[in-house]
Amino acid sequence: MARKYQERRSLASQLYTYLAARGWNISEVLEGFQSSESVQAPAVSVYFLPTAIAELEMGRTQKTFVRRVQIDAYMLNEPTAEGIGDDIMDFMDETPIVVKDIETNADLANMICYDTSSISSETVPPILKEARVKHWRNVSKATYEVHYF
């Protein structure tokens, strides 16, 4: 059974720990932006793009879920946006995510980016006409596989 909410929450939590260890002054990693308020830099948010189920083995009882993940980092200038983007790409490439149940803290699954070539990063300048986004933004994406126990 897929639990995207727990996957997103676990990814955000482990990304926050990783970025803090790298010296980034981020107060939290958000699970998307659900409000109409302006984005306050520095800010990092995690999004899950449309996903699918992958059947890779005959006779397997647990499904593998393929997740396309996007992480947006809103920063005050271009060099910091590019710098945090490099660290986010390293995180995607190096760090397996342990998906935990929100209520019991039990391990549910492993989330791993096996395909390094799926990792990409782009730094986007501010959108001056749009009042909500007045900062440099790094958009990093990767494809993860989620294996439930």
Side-chain angles (χ1 to χ4, degrees), residues 57-111:
E57 297 176 18
M58 297 282 292
R60 189 174 57 199
T61 58
Q62 293 291 337
K63 294 179 181 175
T64 298
F65 295 89
V66 177
R67 305 284 188 228
R68 187 73 179 149
V69 175
Q70 176 176 316
I71 299 173
D72 290 357
Y74 298 88
M75 306 305 280
L76 296 174
N77 55 49
E78 184 178 14
T80 56
E82 289 181 354
I84 199 168
D86 289 343
D87 283 345
I88 290 170
M89 287 194 322
D90 287 344
F91 169 81
M92 292 171 157
D93 190 34
E94 300 169 354
T95 309
I97 308 300
V98 177
V99 179
K100 296 195 172 276
D101 186 290
I102 305 301
E103 297 171 6
T104 65
N105 204 36
D107 294 350
L108 299 174
N110 287 322
M111 193 169 157

Side-chain angles (χ1 to χ4, degrees), residues 2 4 20 29-30 37 39-40 46-48 50 68 70 75 85 91 102 106 121 136-137 140 146:
K4 283 175 69 173
V29 174
L30 304 169
E37 296 178 15
V39 175
Q40 300 297 319
V46 174
Y47 301 93
F48 277 34
R68 187 73 179 149
Q70 176 176 316
M75 306 305 280
F91 169 81
I102 305 301
S121 180
W136 285 87
R137 179 172 58 127
S140 300
V146 184

